[in-house]
Amino acid sequence: MLSNEAVANWRLALDVLQVAATLLAFAAAWWVRKTSANRTAINGVHKEMRATGLKLSGRIEGVERRITVAEKEMEHLPNKHDMDDLDRRFDELNRQVAGLAEAHRGTNHLLTVIHQHLLNNGSKAG
Protein backbone atom coordinates (compact mmCIF):
# COMPACT_ATOMS: atom_id res chain seq x y z
CA MET A 1 0.00 0.00 0.00
CA LEU A 2 0.97 3.55 -0.47
CA SER A 3 2.28 5.61 2.31
CA ASN A 4 0.56 8.78 3.42
CA GLU A 5 3.27 10.80 1.80
CA ALA A 6 2.78 9.05 -1.56
CA VAL A 7 -0.99 9.54 -1.32
CA ALA A 8 -0.46 13.23 -0.52
CA ASN A 9 1.85 13.53 -3.51
CA TRP A 10 -0.67 11.82 -5.76
CA ARG A 11 -3.43 13.95 -4.38
CA LEU A 12 -1.36 17.09 -4.97
CA ALA A 13 -0.60 15.95 -8.53
CA LEU A 14 -4.29 15.26 -9.20
CA ASP A 15 -5.26 18.65 -7.69
CA VAL A 16 -2.69 20.39 -9.89
CA LEU A 17 -3.93 18.38 -12.88
CA GLN A 18 -7.53 19.28 -12.03
CA VAL A 19 -6.67 23.00 -11.71
CA ALA A 20 -4.74 22.84 -15.01
CA ALA A 21 -7.67 21.09 -16.73
CA THR A 22 -10.10 23.67 -15.30
CA LEU A 23 -7.88 26.54 -16.43
CA LEU A 24 -7.53 24.93 -19.85
CA ALA A 25 -11.30 24.49 -20.13
CA PHE A 26 -11.82 28.08 -19.01
CA ALA A 27 -9.27 29.34 -21.57
CA ALA A 28 -10.89 27.25 -24.32
CA ALA A 29 -14.36 28.57 -23.43
CA TRP A 30 -13.03 32.14 -23.31
CA TRP A 31 -11.32 31.70 -26.68
CA VAL A 32 -14.44 30.25 -28.30
CA ARG A 33 -16.59 33.04 -26.91
CA LYS A 34 -14.09 35.72 -27.96
CA THR A 35 -13.83 34.23 -31.46
CA SER A 36 -17.61 34.06 -31.74
CA ALA A 37 -17.96 37.67 -30.54
CA ASN A 38 -15.32 38.79 -33.01
CA ARG A 39 -17.02 36.92 -35.84
CA THR A 40 -20.36 38.50 -34.91
CA ALA A 41 -18.78 41.96 -34.79
CA ILE A 42 -17.03 41.40 -38.12
CA ASN A 43 -20.29 40.20 -39.71
CA GLY A 44 -22.03 43.31 -38.37
CA VAL A 45 -19.34 45.55 -39.83
CA HIS A 46 -19.62 43.73 -43.18
CA LYS A 47 -23.40 44.27 -43.21
CA GLU A 48 -22.95 47.97 -42.45
CA MET A 49 -20.29 48.26 -45.14
CA ARG A 50 -22.55 46.55 -47.70
CA ALA A 51 -25.45 48.86 -46.81
CA THR A 52 -23.19 51.92 -46.99
CA GLY A 53 -21.73 50.65 -50.27
CA LEU A 54 -25.21 50.29 -51.76
CA LYS A 55 -26.14 53.81 -50.66
CA LEU A 56 -22.92 55.22 -52.10
CA SER A 57 -23.38 53.23 -55.29
CA GLY A 58 -26.82 54.78 -55.76
CA ARG A 59 -25.49 58.26 -55.10
CA ILE A 60 -22.57 57.71 -57.49
CA GLU A 61 -24.95 56.56 -60.22
CA GLY A 62 -27.03 59.70 -59.69
CA VAL A 63 -23.94 61.91 -59.90
CA GLU A 64 -22.78 60.10 -63.05
CA ARG A 65 -26.18 60.70 -64.68
CA ARG A 66 -26.04 64.37 -63.79
CA ILE A 67 -22.51 64.68 -65.15
CA THR A 68 -23.58 62.98 -68.39
CA VAL A 69 -26.48 65.43 -68.77
CA ALA A 70 -24.17 68.37 -68.04
CA GLU A 71 -21.65 67.10 -70.60
CA LYS A 72 -24.35 66.80 -73.24
CA GLU A 73 -25.54 70.33 -72.49
CA MET A 74 -21.98 71.65 -72.65
CA GLU A 75 -21.55 70.20 -76.15
CA HIS A 76 -24.00 72.84 -77.39
CA LEU A 77 -22.33 75.75 -75.62
CA PRO A 78 -19.96 78.00 -77.54
CA ASN A 79 -16.27 77.30 -77.08
CA LYS A 80 -13.43 79.84 -76.92
CA HIS A 81 -13.13 80.00 -80.69
CA ASP A 82 -16.86 80.72 -81.02
CA MET A 83 -16.68 83.39 -78.34
CA ASP A 84 -13.66 85.03 -80.03
CA ASP A 85 -15.58 85.02 -83.33
CA LEU A 86 -18.59 86.64 -81.63
CA ASP A 87 -16.30 89.22 -80.07
CA ARG A 88 -14.85 90.10 -83.50
CA ARG A 89 -18.36 90.37 -84.97
CA PHE A 90 -19.51 92.65 -82.15
CA ASP A 91 -16.46 94.84 -82.64
CA GLU A 92 -17.28 95.12 -86.36
CA LEU A 93 -20.93 95.84 -85.57
CA ASN A 94 -19.89 98.55 -83.08
CA ARG A 95 -17.71 100.16 -85.74
CA GLN A 96 -20.61 100.10 -88.23
CA VAL A 97 -23.03 101.60 -85.69
CA ALA A 98 -20.48 104.32 -84.88
CA GLY A 99 -20.21 105.06 -88.62
CA LEU A 100 -23.99 105.25 -88.94
CA ALA A 101 -24.17 107.52 -85.91
CA GLU A 102 -21.57 109.82 -87.49
CA ALA A 103 -23.47 109.82 -90.78
CA HIS A 104 -26.70 110.54 -88.90
CA ARG A 105 -25.07 113.50 -87.14
CA GLY A 106 -24.11 114.96 -90.52
CA THR A 107 -27.61 114.38 -91.91
CA ASN A 108 -29.15 115.82 -88.77
CA HIS A 109 -26.98 118.92 -89.05
CA LEU A 110 -27.96 119.33 -92.71
CA LEU A 111 -31.66 119.02 -91.83
CA THR A 112 -31.24 121.57 -89.06
CA VAL A 113 -29.66 124.02 -91.50
CA ILE A 114 -32.47 123.44 -94.04
CA HIS A 115 -35.04 123.86 -91.31
CA GLN A 116 -33.50 127.14 -90.15
CA HIS A 117 -33.31 128.33 -93.72
CA LEU A 118 -36.97 127.58 -94.33
CA LEU A 119 -37.95 129.25 -91.09
CA ASN A 120 -35.91 132.34 -91.86
CA ASN A 121 -37.19 132.55 -95.47
CA GLY A 122 -40.74 131.90 -94.35
CA SER A 123 -40.63 134.84 -91.88
CA LYS A 124 -39.21 137.14 -94.61
CA ALA A 125 -41.94 136.15 -97.08
CA GLY A 126 -44.75 136.86 -94.72
Side-chain angles (χ1 to χ4, degrees), residues 17-31:
L17 186 61
Q18 183 180 8
V19 168
T22 302
L23 288 176
L24 185 62
F26 174 75
W30 175 81
W31 179 257

Side-chain angles (χ1 to χ4, degrees), residues 5-34:
E5 190 176 313
V7 170
N9 285 340
W10 275 105
R11 180 173 258 198
L12 179 62
L14 287 175
D15 285 345
V16 169
L17 186 61
Q18 183 180 8
V19 168
T22 302
L23 288 176
L24 185 62
F26 174 75
W30 175 81
W31 179 257
V32 167
R33 185 172 176 177
K34 177 99 170 139

Side-chain angles (χ1 to χ4, degrees), residues 61-77:
E61 288 175 7
V63 168
E64 286 175 344
R65 280 192 300 271
R66 288 174 29 208
I67 287 173
T68 301
V69 168
E71 287 173 342
K72 288 196 183 292
E73 290 295 322
M74 287 177 64
E75 289 174 358
H76 304 293
L77 295 176

Side-chain angles (χ1 to χ4, degrees), residues 43-60:
N43 287 340
V45 168
H46 281 141
K47 285 179 185 177
E48 288 178 22
M49 287 176 64
R50 271 187 246 123
T52 302
L54 290 175
K55 287 178 188 175
L56 289 176
S57 176
R59 291 182 71 188
I60 288 171

Side-chain angles (χ1 to χ4, degrees), residues 2 4 6 10 29 35 37 40 42 44 53 75 90 97 112 114 122:
L2 296 174
N4 283 345
W10 275 105
T35 303
T40 302
I42 289 171
E75 289 174 358
F90 279 127
V97 167
T112 303
I114 292 172

